[in-house]
Amino acid sequence: MTVQRKHSMYHSSVIEADPDAVWAVVRDALALVAIVSGPAAKDVHWVGDAGPERVPAPYNFTLVFADGLVRQEIAGRDELKRLQTYRSLEPTMGVERYVATIRIREITNDPNRCFFDWTRELTIEADADLQVVETIIDMMAKQVDAVRDHFAQR
């Protein structure tokens, strides 16, 4: 894989669950981190008085493979569109800047299924350890499947 200084990603999947049920879970950043990272993330917690009902809402977690602290926040949310934006609060492990948006969309003719979209833009530091950055990007590439699989198990 060739890592560009500006790296964009888009992943989507059909989720075998009602869009409101999916949204109720994934709009909570800590729940989403637990689903997509499992044991690869530790010490997942809100910062200060933040929580799933607040925007902005900072949260931290540590990626186990590199023991790297990730500081992010929920930066925006649209409840009607089931859309939420996240961003990094400081550079970490070679990623200078990170912005991501998740969105859950209805499937018009099947109310018990939905589309889950995840777009991400990463700005990679010029002196980044590309092996670490590639590991992070590889992890991200599998995260939509983790969300799909989480709801398929219900």
Side-chain angles (χ1 to χ4, degrees):
M1 160 186 3
T2 303
V3 176
Q4 305 293 324
R5 178 132 165 78
K6 299 277 187 181
H7 187 84
S8 297
M9 302 173 72
Y10 172 80
H11 295 95
S12 67
S13 184
V14 172
I15 306 290
E16 299 290 331
D18 171 84
D20 289 329
V22 174
W23 178 244
V25 173
V26 301
R27 67 187 289 284
D28 179 337
L30 301 192
L32 184 60
V33 170
I35 291 167
V36 301
S37 298
K42 66 180 182 178
D43 302 327
V44 183
H45 63 277
W46 296 108
V47 175
D49 63 351
E53 301 308 318
R54 300 195 72 177
V55 176
Y59 60 97
N60 295 345
F61 59 93
T62 300
L63 287 175
V64 174
F65 82 93
D67 204 34
L69 177 64
V70 177
R71 296 188 63 237
Q72 295 182 347
E73 75 176 352
I74 298 171
R77 178 184 297 139
D78 185 325
E79 295 284 355
L80 294 177
K81 292 181 180 177
R82 296 185 203 94
L83 179 141
Q84 188 157 270
T85 301
Y86 306 84
R87 67 176 168 212
S88 58
L89 294 175
E90 64 184 36
T92 185
M93 297 180 294
V95 178
E96 182 178 310
R97 185 169 189 274
Y98 171 75
V99 177
T101 301
I102 60 169
R103 183 170 186 182
I104 287 91
R105 294 180 293 131
E106 295 177 4
I107 297 177
T108 309
N109 63 350
D110 193 346
N112 295 315
R113 298 168 74 209
C114 60
F115 290 110
F116 180 84
D117 299 325
W118 202 335
T119 59
R120 306 173 213 221
E121 293 182 9
L122 297 88
T123 303
I124 309 304
E125 294 175 332
D127 62 345
D129 179 337
L130 294 183
Q131 194 169 20
V132 170
V133 171
E134 287 175 359
T135 300
I136 292 168
I137 290 170
D138 287 344
M139 287 173 56
M140 289 178 172
K142 298 171 185 161
Q143 290 178 334
V144 167
D145 290 346
V147 173
R148 180 199 64 216
D149 296 347
H150 173 80
F151 287 98
Q153 295 172 5
R154 294 176 161 220

